[in-house]
């Protein structure tokens, strides 16, 4: 299905500022296509971001959008959703935005099970500020601040969300654009906190330093390390080394925050006359 | 009777950043990279959207042709 681009993009702002081959454009398209295929009401859909190359995405999207402060997109989105639960609230965040400065907002939104869709444009680097390592930089990879290779172990963001009580977590990559779109659709349709770890390439600051010379090489690097969830479960810890699972990692039913909040208000209003 | 073309692939030269990903992802070798990607063999296109979905710049679109009988 071809995308009606004029309906979803602020075409006057295009072309966007991202570098040639930057994965963030592919993830953005996956979100737009998911919204289109779900036939979401564009008047009832809000897109919120923090700061970063990833966070520029809402600037090109023809919805009500908020470009907020670094790490705080989920906090702003929380306010929107609590005040107007009927809106679809989608958060676009980077790996630095979501896991470094904004890590607390992420785990608490997961714990609360507030009905947000959070999509992390995970290029495992701080793209916007020219390539410092992030909590997602793989061990041994080079960044401007890890010139001898990253010493620390990265987060697994889906596991972080699940550990915090999150009930929907999924992962895919720009190589798997169709699967990524389907997972974003499932995340948006899910009633509760839904997290999608979208692996995206930063050819300018990650690729260049890590001998992945072209955007395609970076995407093939995602393909080579990804394992579908069904096969992942059968792998030993040694076999999992350097690899990651793609697909829906967890999906469960749980009480959603705006629902119980509404019930509480109704109860208190009924009691009001007593 | 020749087979009528089913799919129309077009590139927006104002938005294209010439990364070449559309050409690489096409499973049918429909496209080739010149200054911007161009269609070299439209008849081979199967409308799979691999090019469109992997374009970071919303610059390549695949549309079904109106059936002209
Ligand atoms: C409070 C604050 N601290 C630091 C910065 C500088 N800063 C801007 S973007 C960024 C990191 C962006 O990385 P990420 O979230 O991964 O997004 P990317 O650019 O990689 O898409 C930082 C540290 C800032 N803008 N505000
Ligand atoms: S610096 Fe990296 S993340 Fe930012 S636009 Fe360029 S390629 Fe994309
Ligand atoms: S739609 Fe598929 S077959 Fe046609 S040009 Fe694009 S990638 Fe190639
Ligand atoms: S993928 Fe998009 S931006 Fe890259 S060469 Fe093809 S049309 Fe141009
Ligand atoms: Mg980043």
């Amino acid at each position: 299905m071809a995308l009606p681009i004029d309906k979803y993009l602020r075409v006057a702002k295009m072309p966007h500022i991202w570098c040639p081959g930057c994965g963030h454009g592919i993830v953005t398209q996956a979100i737009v296509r998911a919204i289109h295929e779900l036939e979401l009401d564009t008047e009832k859909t809000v897109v919120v971001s923090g700061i970063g190359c990833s966070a520029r995405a809402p600037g090109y999207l023809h919805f009500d959008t908020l470009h907020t402060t670094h790490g705080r997109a989920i906090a702003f989105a929380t306010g929107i959703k609590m005040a107007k639960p009927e809106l679809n609230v989608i958060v676009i965040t980077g790996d630095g935005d979501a896991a470094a400065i904004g890590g607390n907002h992420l785990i608490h939104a997961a714990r609360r099970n507030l009905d947000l869709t959070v999509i992390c444009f995970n290029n495992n680097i701080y793209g916007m500020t020219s390539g410092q390592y992030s909590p997602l930089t793989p061990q041994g990879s080079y960044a401007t601040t890890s010139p001898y290779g990253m010493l620390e172990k990265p987060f697994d963001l889906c596991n972080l969300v699940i550990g915090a009580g999150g009930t929907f977590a999924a992962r895919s990559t720009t190589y798997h654009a169709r699967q990524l779109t389907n997972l974003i659709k499932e995340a948006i349709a899910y009633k509760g906190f839904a997290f999608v770890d979208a692996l995206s390439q930063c050819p300018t600051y990650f690729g260049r330093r890590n001998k992945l010379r072209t955007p395609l090489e970076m995407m093939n690097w995602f393909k080579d390390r990804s394992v579908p969830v069904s096969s992942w479960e059968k792998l030993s810890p040694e076999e999992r080394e350097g690899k990651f699972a793609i697909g829906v990692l967890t999906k469960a039913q749980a009480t959603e925050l705006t629902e119980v909040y509404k019930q509480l208000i109704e109860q208190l209003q009924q009691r009001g006359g007593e | 009777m020749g087979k009528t073309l089913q799919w129309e692939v077009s590139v927006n030269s104002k938005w294209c950043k010439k990364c070449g990903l559309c050409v690489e992802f096409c499973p049918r070798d429909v496209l080739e990279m010149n200054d911007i990607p161009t269609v070299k063999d439209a008849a081979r296109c199967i409308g799979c959207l691999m090019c469109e979905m992997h374009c970071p710049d919303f610059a390549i679109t695949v549309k079904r042709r109106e059936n002209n009988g």
Side-chain angles (χ1 to χ4, degrees):
Chain A
M1 179 158 41
L3 270 184
I5 287 172
D6 296 4
K7 181 175 173 189
Y8 297 110
L9 293 193
R10 294 172 179 152
V11 286
K13 299 250 163 115
M14 295 288 285
H16 56 57
I17 56 144
W18 293 318
C19 307
C22 173
H24 289 357
I26 301 174
V27 185
T28 303
Q29 191 196 139
I31 295 172
V32 170
R33 196 178 294 277
I35 289 171
H36 179 60
E37 290 179 2
L38 287 170
E39 299 177 17
L40 286 196
D41 184 347
T42 54
E43 300 289 322
K44 287 198 158 45
T45 303
V46 182
V47 191
V48 187
S49 70
I51 298 292
C53 291
S54 36
R56 304 293 290 253
Y60 305 107
L61 298 176
H62 197 20
F63 299 88
D64 286 324
T65 59
L66 265 82
H67 189 184
T68 71
T69 53
H70 195 30
R72 313 294 172 218
I74 291 175
F76 284 86
T78 300
I80 297 167
K81 188 70 190 183
M82 291 305 286
K84 293 209 175 289
E86 69 278 14
L87 298 178
N88 309 304
V89 184
I90 299 172
V91 174
I92 290 178
T93 181
D95 47 305
D97 200 62
I101 191 169
N104 251 307
H105 296 293
L106 178 70
I107 57 176
H108 289 287
R111 173 184 63 80
R112 290 183 179 125
N113 198 29
L114 178 63
D115 185 22
L116 303 175
T117 305
V118 176
I119 299 155
C120 182
F121 290 36
N122 178 2
N123 56 8
N124 41 63
I125 202 95
Y126 290 179
M128 175 162 266
T129 46
S130 59
Q132 296 82 359
Y133 68 70
S134 85
L136 273 300
T137 303
Q139 220 168 8
S141 293
Y142 297 96
T144 49
T145 46
S146 60
Y148 307 107
M150 177 63 165
L151 286 175
E152 305 162 15
K153 265 182 72 173
F155 270 138
D156 175 323
L157 281 182
C158 288
N159 280 350
L160 181 67
V161 164
I162 295 167
T167 45
F168 185 105
R171 182 185 295 115
S172 190
T173 85
T174 51
Y175 180 90
H176 308 87
R178 181 66 253 179
Q179 180 196 39
L180 177 62
T181 307
N182 291 344
L183 293 176
I184 294 172
K185 279 170 80 174
E186 201 170 332
I188 293 173
Y190 179 76
K191 181 81 184 156
F193 184 79
F195 180 78
V196 180
D197 187 12
L199 271 68
S200 172
Q201 71 274 14
C202 171
T204 304
Y205 291 113
F206 192 85
R208 251 186 5 201
R209 282 186 177 267
N210 288 283
K211 294 208 171 75
L212 298 160
R213 291 201 167 72
T214 63
L216 182 69
E217 268 184 68
M218 298 194 73
M219 293 163 87
N220 283 333
W221 182 63
F222 294 152
K223 179 187 69 171
D224 295 343
R225 291 182 304 142
S226 60
V227 180
V229 179
S230 49
S231 319
W232 179 258
E233 277 147 17
K234 297 177 203 124
L235 297 185
S236 66
E238 296 76 48
E239 289 170 321
R240 290 181 180 183
E241 204 54 52
K243 298 208 158 57
F244 54 84
I246 54 170
V248 176
L249 299 164
T250 200
K251 186 176 185 179
Q253 285 257 300
T255 315
E256 192 275 323
L257 186 62
T258 60
E259 289 287 323
V260 284
Y261 184 58
K262 189 171 141 220
Q263 282 166 16
L264 175 65
I265 290 172
E266 282 165 5
Q267 275 172 21
L268 294 177
Q269 279 171 342
Q270 272 168 14
R271 265 201 255 156
E274 289 166 21
Chain B
M1 200 183 76
K3 232 170 69 179
T4 46
L5 293 176
Q6 295 244 18
W7 302 100
E8 190 171 338
V9 183
S10 45
V11 177
N12 177 344
S13 60
K14 293 201 184 77
W15 293 4
C16 172
K17 296 199 184 119
K18 308 176 184 186
C19 68
L21 285 174
C22 54
V23 180
E24 304 282 359
F25 274 89
C26 175
R28 299 278 298 162
D29 203 21
V30 171
L31 307 164
E32 76 186 345
M33 201 64 194
N34 291 310
D35 177 42
I36 59 164
T38 47
V39 176
K40 69 174 176 201
D41 192 353
R44 289 178 57 81
C45 177
I46 51 170
C48 67
L49 294 191
M50 287 293 278
C51 54
E52 183 176 312
M53 294 187 76
H54 290 94
C55 172
D57 289 85
F58 294 88
I60 185 163
T61 44
V62 184
K63 289 201 174 77
R64 192 183 280 280
R65 266 178 208 272
E66 295 304 323
N67 206 334
N68 43 16

